[in-house]
Amino acid sequence: MAKLELRGVVKRFGQVTVCDGISLDVEKGQTVCLIGASGAGKSTLLRCINLLEPIEDGEIFLDGEDISVPGLDPQGVRARIGMVFQSYNLFPHMTALENVMLAPRRVHGKSRAQLLPEIEALFQSFDLGDRMHNYPDQLSGGQQQRVAIVRALAMHPEVILFDEITSALDPQLVGEVLDVLLKLKKQGMTMILATHEMGFARQAADKVCFLKDGQIIEEGAPKELFDAPKRAETKTFLARALK
Amino acid sequence: MANPNAAGSNVAGPNAAGMTRRERYEAQKRRRGMVVAAISTLFVVVALVVLVPMTPGWEKVQKSFFNGAVLAKSFPKLLEAFKINIMIFAWSAPAIAILGLLIALARDVKSPALFPLKIFGAVFTDVFRGVPVILTVYLIGFGIPGLGLPRPWNSPYIWGSLALILTYSAYVAEIFRSGIDSVHHSQRSAALSLGLSERQVMRDVVLPQAIRNVVPSQMNMLIALQKDVSLLSFIGPVEIFRQAGVFKSLLANFTPYVGAALIFLIVTIPATRYADYLMARQSRERR
């Protein structure tokens, strides 16, 4: 049984169909990269998986349990699926440490003292040990994004969704964030990334899916998809993206 | 003929005074601006000082509005009466902040069971923003004690303050609501994605930012409230405006009103400056 299973997921905004029957299996510990032009439906698909957007049709299974049942309380699911956003979305009125502690305190009911050793270790391991008490606007983009990743990790998620998390970063800061992803992969985290970093997708992904107009046009191991794409649309996209 | 060094320093580098070409230009512009501003201000002041006393009624106005002796006589009592304004302000302002926030939250509830609350919030803001403050003060200040309540429950202080609280809460609630709307929806997404409930997202993430965003606007409401406390004089309390009226009748002179205005300004000008400072700082931070 796959860790996460999408079956014919359809998402519409009014008349516009953004996800048009997407099916996808993600095994435990796998890294899946969603590539495709802006507007292809990558980000929306991630938001649907995290139940931030209700889906019109299809099912989403987490460990075989249908989490897309209308009326299901999304809170429990979201606590199990982490998400990191393109624009970091740290809470500006809290220090980095408070940002990370908020959800475990409120959702798991733990105290600051209980959490501190573990979270301190998390900050240390992502080279943020001396940044814990800084406010987001005192951090660089790369540091903010790493804090956002730590914030997601502190909830012990089973799956993490990354929504173009390097797109807002200067080129020299992209590397430090991608290193974090490689580290998580090594630790066996199940991850789905919407990304424009083709080099990273080729290096780290177990599976790459090319999306166009809300559909997965082609999917496969990075080697097959990048070196020998079968579909003409994939070829055109890659020719542009890898130029 | 031409000294290459001098030419070089003229074009780009700092000159003898350590100023670049741009800095010299800016300094000159600043100096010229200050001279022009000083001359035009002087001109206006002189015109006022010379022209106003030439009006036919000036002597009478001076005697009845700017009478030093009357001012000296009434000022201490006016200050004393102003304490009542401060008192009414001091208990109304926190009540307004709390009620305003509750109304703002009531208008945003999503649960169908709380739908009446939502309707109440909308009706409340419509009604109390739609009626002039003085009318609300009259209706509540005269109407409720008219029920024949025993002392102290017939006090105009209580019901007058309530009228202010209701009116101002309606405005303050709308400002809080605009503050809540001003928090970017991505903040909500991020908080929800962590597994927080709607209520936790509001309390821990949205409200703290929303309240911070509207502090300058709410400061302006406080300043307006400070002035409107005087409206309670119409239903009884002898606060500063009423006290000035007493002196006016007693001394047949309007100077006490000018004195009252001065006392208001002593409080409101620093508060206004502070609100402006907060707003300027906020717009700098947003940039």
Side-chain angles (χ1 to χ4, degrees):
Chain A
M1 181 178 61
K3 181 77 194 167
L4 190 74
E5 235 181 287
L6 312 187
R7 289 283 160 265
V9 169
V10 175
K11 173 67 198 173
R12 289 189 205 95
F13 290 112
Q15 299 292 313
V16 187
T17 304
V18 185
C19 297
D20 192 5
I22 290 182
S23 297
L24 175 68
D25 281 3
V26 182
E27 302 295 333
K28 190 167 167 27
Q30 256 189 342
T31 300
V32 174
C33 286
L34 310 176
I35 61 170
S38 300
K42 310 185 293 288
S43 295
T44 305
L45 185 63
L46 294 184
R47 293 178 64 86
C48 289
I49 295 172
N50 206 7
L51 308 187
L52 286 173
E53 303 285 352
I55 59 175
E56 263 70 39
D57 201 6
E59 291 103 38
I60 303 171
F61 299 92
L62 180 64
D63 282 334
E65 178 202 350
D66 188 352
I67 57 169
S68 56
V69 185
L72 179 100
D73 179 19
Q75 237 186 298
V77 174
R78 290 184 190 137
R80 295 168 62 192
I81 303 181
M83 184 152 180
V84 184
F85 300 83
Q86 176 177 350
S87 47
Y88 335 130
N89 299 1
L90 293 179
F91 309 132
H93 58 297
M94 299 181 184
T95 62
L97 181 64
E98 288 167 342
N99 261 281
V100 174
M101 278 192 172
L102 177 66
R105 281 173 55 214
R106 292 284 186 259
V107 180
H108 295 157
K110 292 187 181 162
S111 73
R112 282 193 172 88
Q114 266 178 309
L115 290 163
L116 193 61
E118 180 204 337
I119 288 180
E120 228 166 7
L122 264 180
F123 272 95
Q124 300 286 358
S125 72
F126 290 103
D127 275 336
L128 291 163
D130 52 346
R131 293 292 174 190
M132 287 201 306
H133 300 291
N134 285 117
Y135 283 88
D137 62 3
Q138 300 166 323
L139 301 174
S140 74
Q143 288 166 340
Q144 288 191 52
Q145 195 58 292
R146 281 183 288 147
V147 171
I149 294 172
V150 169
R151 181 172 70 176
L153 284 174
M155 286 297 286
H156 300 291
E158 298 160 38
V159 181
I160 307 188
L161 314 172
F162 297 91
D163 187 5
E164 295 186 19
I165 60 165
T166 56
S167 299
L169 296 176
D170 294 337
Q172 64 266 39
L173 299 180
V174 169
E176 64 182 67
V177 171
L178 294 182
D179 285 346
V180 169
L181 296 182
L182 288 175
K183 190 165 165 178
L184 292 179
K185 181 181 166 64
K186 220 175 275 170
Q187 291 170 0
M189 181 58 77
T190 311
M191 306 192 283
I192 309 179
L193 293 86
T195 187
H196 292 296
E197 297 290 333
M198 297 304 154
F200 178 81
R202 181 195 284 266
Q203 178 195 354
D206 299 296
K207 176 153 70 177
V208 179
C209 303
F210 169 63
L211 274 79
K212 187 168 189 283
D213 301 332
Q215 294 179 327
I216 295 181
I217 300 274
E218 184 168 354
E219 64 175 277
K223 219 170 158 32
E224 301 165 24
L225 195 121
F226 284 115
D227 296 340
K230 294 186 189 71
R231 301 281 298 264
E233 296 98 322
T234 319
K235 277 178 202 161
T236 317
F237 173 77
L238 287 176
R240 287 211 184 116
L242 296 173
K243 194 163 54 182
Chain B
M1 184 180 81
N3 181 340
N5 279 335
S9 76
N10 253 342
V11 172
N15 68 356
M19 289 201 322
T20 64
R21 177 166 78 143
R22 163 66 57 186
E23 281 165 352
R24 267 203 315 280
Y25 171 75
E26 297 282 351
Q28 191 190 13
K29 209 167 97 174
R30 235 185 350 260
R31 268 200 307 275
R32 189 174 303 169
M34 278 191 305
V35 169
V36 171
I39 291 174
S40 84
T41 307
L42 193 70
F43 184 78
V44 170
V45 169
V46 166
L48 283 176
V49 169
V50 171
L51 291 181
V52 170
M54 284 165 70
T55 52
W58 168 243
E59 236 166 78
K60 265 193 220 154
V61 167
Q62 193 183 21
K63 225 180 264 167
S64 56
F65 282 87
F66 303 102
N67 187 322
V70 171
L71 187 65
K73 194 169 172 192
S74 59
F75 204 76
K77 267 280 183 75
L78 288 177
L79 264 184
E80 190 68 26
F82 192 62
K83 279 189 193 154
I84 293 184
N85 292 63
I86 292 175
M87 203 171 67
I88 295 171
F89 173 83
W91 66 54
S92 299
I96 289 165
I98 293 167
L99 185 59
L101 187 57
L102 289 178
I103 299 283
L105 291 175
R107 295 197 66 179
D108 271 343
V109 295
K110 293 186 182 77
S111 149
L114 297 179
F115 187 70
L117 205 60
K118 195 172 176 144
I119 294 275
F120 170 77
V123 171
F124 183 94
T125 45
D126 281 358
V127 167
F128 286 105
R129 284 198 307 164
V131 178
V133 195
I134 184 68
L135 258 181
T136 311
V137 169
Y138 263 61
L139 290 178
I140 295 181
F142 285 137
I144 295 185
L147 295 172
L149 301 172
R151 290 185 72 175
W153 297 107
N154 57 1
S155 160
Y157 286 89
I158 296 178
W159 304 110
S161 302
L162 181 71
L164 287 179
I165 290 168
L166 293 176
T167 304
Y168 271 80
S169 298
Y171 285 98
V172 163
E174 286 304 286
I175 295 175
F176 275 133
R177 233 158 63 96
S178 73
I180 290 170
D181 289 342
S182 75
V183 177
H184 200 262
H185 59 81
S186 64
Q187 288 282 311
R188 259 178 55 82
S189 289
L192 286 174
S193 80
L194 288 164
L196 297 175
S197 68
E198 292 278 354
R199 178 190 292 221
Q200 288 165 336
V201 172
M202 181 55 88
R203 189 186 62 189
D204 293 319
V205 176
V206 177
L207 266 191
Q209 298 184 56
I211 290 174
R212 200 166 302 193
N213 289 350
V214 298
V215 163
S217 317
Q218 303 290 32
M219 275 291 293
N220 283 328
M221 293 308 292
L222 283 182
I223 293 162
L225 173 68
Q226 177 61 60
K227 295 182 296 171
D228 276 355
V229 166
S230 271
L231 293 175
L232 297 205
S233 65
F234 289 106
I235 59 168
V238 183
E239 48 67 71
I240 186 167
F241 176 65
R242 183 73 170 259
Q243 182 66 56
V246 170
F247 275 120
K248 180 210 67 179
S249 311
L250 214 61
L251 307 170
N253 194 295
F254 286 105
T255 306
Y257 284 134
V258 176
L262 284 176
I263 292 175
F264 272 110
L265 288 177
I266 290 169
V267 174
T268 51
I269 287 182
T272 317
R273 291 284 120 223
Y274 184 60
D276 284 356
Y277 160 76
L278 287 179
M279 275 206 222
R281 196 179 66 178
Q282 199 172 65
S283 68
R284 268 203 309 279
E285 278 169 3
R286 291 242 168 96
R287 239 180 289 142

